[in-house]
Amino acid sequence: QVQLVESGGRLVQAGGSLRLSCAASGRTFSDYTMGWFRQAPGKEREFVAAITWSGLSTNYAESVKGRFTISRDNAKNTAYLQMNSLKPEDTAVYYCAAGRSSSRGTMKDYDYWGQGTQVTVPS
């Protein structure tokens, strides 16, 4: 089992920045690909970003490319999502997830999920 706890979500003005953290415990953190997903009210959960166990490979949704950066610190068992130039459409609950699939762009690629943290960007 892997337990994931997100933090860092809050209300931030458009154009601002925010860093989300995902603290992991349980099994070896560095064994897992880490992903960030988000779910806006009335919408399905969608992929945001992912990073391989080594940190050498990352993937991003087109909507966040150039604005968001995913990273991880295996020594601290923590993954991060740095979000810059935030827009109202970024408003959502953000979830981190851990998985060992070779692919990393869909929910089925992940086995463990956090409880989510709310990010609100008012228009």
Side-chain angles (χ1 to χ4, degrees):
Q1 288 283 346
V2 176
Q3 292 78 43
L4 302 172
V5 179
E6 303 95 334
S7 62
R10 61 176 175 86
L11 186 149
V12 60
Q13 296 302 315
S17 297
L18 202 58
R19 188 176 81 158
L20 305 183
S21 299
C22 174
S25 60
R27 292 179 180 249
T28 305
F29 177 71
S30 58
D31 285 348
Y32 293 87
T33 289
M34 298 300 296
W36 285 95
F37 288 72
R38 66 186 181 186
Q39 188 166 18
K43 295 187 177 181
E44 294 186 352
R45 195 171 298 189
E46 64 175 3
F47 171 76
V48 175
I51 187 168
T52 55
W53 69 270
S54 64
L56 294 178
S57 180
T58 57
N59 301 88
Y60 296 92
E62 286 297 323
S63 59
V64 306
K65 273 184 181 178
R67 299 189 299 123
F68 290 12
T69 302
I70 189 171
S71 62
R72 66 189 297 161
D73 185 336
N74 288 343
K76 294 184 178 180
N77 290 348
T78 302
Y80 305 96
L81 185 68
Q82 176 67 42
M83 305 186 293
N84 299 329
S85 302
L86 282 160
K87 304 175 181 180
E89 50 264 43
D90 295 319
T91 295
V93 177
Y94 282 72
Y95 299 88
C96 71
R100 302 180 71 169
S101 172
S102 58
S103 59
R104 43 188 185 262
T106 67
M107 290 181 61
K108 66 178 178 61
D109 297 322
Y110 298 88
D111 303 306
Y112 303 102
W113 293 83
Q115 82 291 346
T117 187
Q118 176 72 48
V119 173
T120 302
V121 187
S123 54

